[in-house]
Amino acid sequence: MSRAAEESNRRMLRARDAMDRAYAQPLDVPALARIAHVSQAHFSRTFRATFGETPHRYLQRRRVERAMFLLRETDHSVTAICFEVGFGSTGTFSRTFSDIVGRSPRTYRKESAPTGVPTCFTMAWTRPSG
Amino acid sequence: MFNAITHSQIYVLDQDQALDFYVGKLGLEVAADVDMGFMRWLAVSVPGHPERQILLERPGAPAMSEETAEQVRELVTKGAMGGWLILTTDDCRKTYETLLAKGVEFTEEPTERDYGIDCGFRDPFGNRLRFTQLKTA
């Protein structure tokens, strides 16, 4: 691997960190490409090659993970959580959540319990796979 | 049996750049810096606590083949290799502001937890670090 590839990895990681940090904001490809200092076309392609999924999918799964966290650890309403994690409509939220988790947000809440493990680890480890 | 952890290790891609970051920005101190010719033994510690050192190791020859070193470098820069260093501080928010002003890349702002206030950041290579202001009992 060349130093250029390492620099590219680091830029993609910077954009992925931005999604982990600011998942509730409308982070679209142009915004993420700016963070990574690359063109939009280059960004989507390179991000996928680096991390194995598209930036859109990564962001969706981060938002779902954060929703799982809030369903598990807080008593905020499902609707409030939907907007809290950055989804624009409850329909999209429920559909995406169920697709990824295999249960609806309400069922997930009923069946889950707080983990008692530091959030930084559960955040990294429970981001559901597709 | 055992009574302390004295050394831990993380991979850094450039030891001079690592010194700039870990000592110059984070304020750790050099615990050991030995040029062995073929390798450089470089360790840092929290000031006043040389009993717990972190070895800043550059992946490469002669410890590993160039091909393996490249794989390690790739994992580090993807954030997949990171040593999970967790440090403590007396004032998480103040430390955050200080390091932010120095250009440190944060992955998480100071956040209240059951155990205190903590936040996350990266070193220049992609390793993940955190620091926590623990709740006083």
Side-chain angles (χ1 to χ4, degrees), chain A residues 10 13 16-17 51 120-121 124-125, chain B residues 8-13 21-22 54-57 59 71-86 107 121-130:
Chain A
R10 200 60 190 82
L13 182 60
R16 204 187 73 176
D17 282 344
F51 297 117
C120 56
F121 286 93
W125 290 351
Chain B
S8 311
Q9 174 270 14
I10 59 170
Y11 285 119
V12 299
L13 304 191
F21 183 77
Y22 284 94
I54 299 154
L55 176 68
L56 304 174
E57 181 178 357
Q71 290 174 324
V72 171
R73 296 178 70 97
E74 177 163 18
L75 289 174
V76 170
T77 51
K78 281 185 180 182
M81 190 82 205
W84 270 89
L85 293 183
I86 304 183
T107 54
F121 64 110
R122 288 197 192 278
D123 78 2
F125 316 107
N127 291 309
R128 183 178 274 193
L129 295 85
R130 304 187 70 82

Side-chain angles (χ1 to χ4, degrees), chain A residues 1 6 10 14 17 21, chain B residues 70 73 105-106 122 124:
Chain A
M1 193 169 97
E6 288 167 14
R10 200 60 190 82
R14 204 161 277 137
D17 282 344
R21 194 174 56 238
Chain B
E70 284 182 9
R73 296 178 70 97
E105 291 179 37
F106 278 85
R122 288 197 192 278

